[in-house]
Amino acid sequence: MDDKWSALEKYNLWNGNSYKLGLLRTSYINKIHAFVGNKLVKVLVGQRRSGKSYILRQIASGLISDLGVHPNNILYINKEYLEFDFIDNYQELEKLYQLYREKLNPQGKVYLFFDEIQNVDGWERFVNSHSQDFVEECELFISGSNSRMLSSELATLLSGRYVEFHIFPYNYMEYIQVADTVGGRSSYLSYLQRGGLPELYNLPDTESQKQYVASVKDTVLLRDIVKRKPVRDVRLLDDVFIYLVNNVSNLFSIQNVINFFKSKNRKVSYDTLSNYLSYIEEAFLAYKTERYNIKGKEVLAGNCKYYLNDLAFKNFLYPGFAYGVGYLLENAVYIELRRFGFQVYVGTIRDKEVDFVAMKDDRIIYIQVAYMMETEETMEREYASLLSIADSYEKYVVSMDEVQFPSREGIRHVQAWNLSEILK
């Protein structure tokens, strides 16, 4: 029991302890703070190593500095730490929580922070019980790296009693801060060629960064997928992810992937491939994006596209494949739309394609992405799809051009490094 208590003392803000907080991610902090003070469970989801732990610690520290919460009223547990390996199930978690209350005897509301909680068997029973306890009042903040495990189980037990925040790696504005640089084409290009995994910016050279990104990928595949899913062919899972990385923004069908592996003398079943793709998506490594018929206002079955959660996987692990900056830009625009809470589709209208149809509440945005519009021919091509849309919703062309082009028949040009300004 002494070892368990020592682990709690080591990682909590008691006795004058403090956290290394890293870059303060105010866009997330502000959203989450708006829900502080009620019984809703605050759920942070996202790919492993995207910064969820830092955000939880930033919130915990903010409760003390901004709201005057006593440090003894905050309990933080990260299941990733070896010291907490003994917490296999919700009963062990409950015992540790009761040990905390016995030792510190906190007065009033307690704030519970549990990182990577999906690694505790039956965790949802603990969360459900303490989030609704009106005698020993608790407010819970939890994080996890598997979309299905969190959403399905929370939706079952906590319907209407939780709020979810999808955490992405650094965006461009955060990159500017952590890289201590200025906004513009040059720095945005550097961002595209690096990625946003926060820990990358604490590593000294390209080789250590490459090793880190490889370890993130392996950890997600092995711990978040293989350990939890019926994966019989780990190599195939890895190869499917490699295929996704190198086919970002291309129209995608499972049959095409089957044919690809068949050309390599590897037999893959439709069901196996479909399952592996869903596992990759559940772990937030990539996102499936359906096509949307703009004129018919309906989602189309069949081919889709995939986009990566972070460009570091492409940039550090598989840079030898043909992959222009335009593809990196398109992926970055997609993720920025998702960061701002848009539901994103690939648009089709007649025989033309619109890169993105983004929807949020009553707002609809059509976006075409182009690396550079150096010639009149290129400009005509990029504007053509948007010009064919008859409605009056917002329309933009996003590019890396240094020159800001004037609006054209209601279509605005946005330089990629200014994209966030139009999405607010």
Side-chain angles (χ1 to χ4, degrees):
M1 192 64 72
D2 287 343
D3 289 343
K4 296 176 181 179
W5 182 246
S6 295
L8 286 181
E9 287 189 309
K10 178 179 179 181
Y11 292 109
N12 276 278
L13 292 167
W14 317 325
N15 305 318
N17 290 349
S18 60
Y19 290 140
K20 291 183 178 179
L21 299 179
L23 178 69
L24 189 63
R25 305 191 69 183
T26 54
S27 62
Y28 292 115
I29 298 298
N30 292 340
K31 290 177 184 177
I32 297 168
H33 264 296
F35 291 89
V36 169
N38 57 52
K39 282 185 170 291
L40 290 177
V41 180
K42 273 61 82 173
V43 184
L44 281 62
V45 297
Q47 178 202 293
R48 211 177 268 269
R49 306 295 180 263
S50 58
K52 300 186 300 297
S53 299
Y54 274 106
I55 292 173
L56 283 181
R57 293 195 291 267
Q58 289 169 6
I59 295 168
S61 295
L63 290 175
I64 297 171
S65 61
D66 301 336
L67 300 181
V69 174
H70 195 285
N72 287 3
N73 285 58
I74 297 174
L75 174 64
Y76 174 81
I77 297 172
N78 189 331
K79 192 59 177 69
E80 290 286 275
Y81 298 155
L82 291 175
E83 286 89 341
F84 296 116
D85 263 359
F86 66 89
I87 307 176
D88 292 324
N89 52 56
Y90 74 94
Q91 292 100 329
E92 290 293 334
L93 186 57
E94 177 64 21
K95 289 178 184 177
L96 193 62
Y97 172 66
Q98 293 303 330
L99 175 65
Y100 151 74
R101 295 201 72 104
E102 177 186 328
K103 289 277 191 179
L104 294 187
N105 190 29
Q107 301 300 303
K109 181 190 287 189
V110 168
Y111 298 83
L112 306 181
F113 292 80
F114 295 115
D115 221 341
E116 299 297 346
I117 197 168
Q118 80 274 0
N119 294 326
V120 177
D121 187 38
W123 61 268
E124 64 277 8
R125 297 185 65 177
F126 178 94
V127 170
N128 185 50
S129 173
H130 288 290
S131 67
Q132 302 307 308
D133 193 332
F134 62 88
V135 177
E136 294 181 346
E137 191 177 4
C138 297
E139 187 165 342
L140 283 88
F141 302 77
I142 65 176
S143 81
S145 301
N146 184 289
S147 63
R148 177 158 312 218
M149 181 172 296
L150 283 169
S151 62
S152 62
E153 289 162 5
L154 278 173
T156 300
L157 281 174
L158 289 174
S159 179
R161 300 200 297 272
Y162 74 97
V163 58
E164 183 175 294
F165 304 91
H166 191 161
I167 308 301
F168 291 89
Y170 287 158
N171 64 13
Y172 173 60
M173 299 308 296
E174 291 170 324
Y175 165 79
I176 287 177
Q177 295 179 62
V178 76
D180 192 22
T181 187
V182 295
R185 188 179 191 279
S186 178
S187 60
Y188 194 84
L189 187 59
S190 297
Y191 170 67
L192 289 182
Q193 294 174 330
R194 193 169 190 181
L197 294 177
E199 195 61 33
L200 280 178
Y201 298 92
N202 296 322
L203 300 174
D205 52 50
T206 301
E207 186 57 35
S208 61
Q209 291 165 355
K210 180 179 179 180
Q211 291 175 1
Y212 173 71
V213 175
S215 73
V216 172
K217 184 207 74 169
D218 291 342
T219 300
V220 174
L221 292 183
L222 295 175
R223 296 189 64 177
D224 293 332
I225 299 179
V226 174
K227 186 178 179 180
R228 302 184 174 282
K229 301 291 185 178
V231 175
R232 296 183 178 180
D233 190 339
V234 178
R235 182 186 170 191
L236 175 61
L237 176 68
D238 190 69
D239 287 342
V240 170
F241 178 64
I242 294 172
Y243 184 93
L244 282 183
V245 170
N246 292 298
N247 285 276
V248 160
S249 82
N250 291 328
L251 279 177
F252 182 101
S253 75
I254 291 179
Q255 189 57 53
N256 285 344
V257 187
I258 291 174
N259 293 340
F260 168 78
F261 283 116
K262 186 176 180 180
S263 72
K264 306 293 183 182
N265 296 316
R266 296 178 67 183
K267 187 176 180 180
V268 182
S269 75
Y270 186 98
D271 288 344
T272 296
L273 187 56
S274 179
N275 287 335
Y276 285 10
L277 287 168
S278 68
Y279 300 159
I280 288 170
E281 191 173 7
E282 286 172 26
F284 300 103
L285 284 172
Y287 302 99
K288 181 180 179 181
T289 308
E290 304 283 4
R291 292 185 304 145
Y292 180 81
N293 184 326
I294 295 172
K295 187 176 181 180
K297 302 186 186 311
E298 60 182 350
V299 177
L300 301 174
N303 293 349
C304 62
K305 291 188 178 185
Y306 279 86
Y307 292 95
L308 300 177
N309 187 60
D310 192 78
L311 292 172
F313 297 112
K314 174 61 192 176
N315 294 332
F316 288 95
L317 301 185
Y318 314 109
F321 293 83
Y323 206 72
V325 176
Y327 291 99
L328 299 177
L329 175 60
E330 186 174 331
N331 200 125
V333 170
Y334 173 85
I335 293 298
E336 191 70 353
L337 289 167
R338 292 291 304 267
R339 271 197 194 95
F340 276 87
F342 286 90
Q343 190 170 5
V344 187
Y345 300 95
V346 176
T348 64
I349 182 162
R350 301 183 185 91
D351 59 342
K352 295 180 176 64
E353 181 178 289
V354 175
D355 288 328
F356 299 123
V357 180
M359 303 179 181
K360 182 180 179 181
D361 300 326
D362 295 330
R363 189 180 182 190
I364 297 178
I365 304 176
Y366 302 113
I367 292 181
Q368 198 70 10
V369 181
Y371 172 48
M372 299 284 285
M373 294 190 291
E374 298 172 314
T375 67
E376 186 63 29
E377 180 183 357
T378 302
M379 188 173 291
E380 290 290 337
R381 183 180 67 247
E382 299 302 337
Y383 279 80
S385 296
L386 297 177
L387 288 169
S388 66
I389 303 173
D391 63 48
S392 57
Y393 291 115
E394 300 168 71
K395 302 177 182 69
Y396 299 94
V397 173
V398 178
S399 81
M400 295 283 290
D401 290 280
E402 292 272 21
V403 177
Q404 175 74 60
F405 297 109
S407 295
R408 179 176 176 180
E409 297 185 43
I411 301 170
R412 292 173 55 192
H413 171 237
V414 179
Q415 293 161 310
W417 47 94
N418 295 322
L419 177 61
S420 62
E421 293 301 313
I422 70 167
L423 301 180
K424 292 179 179 178

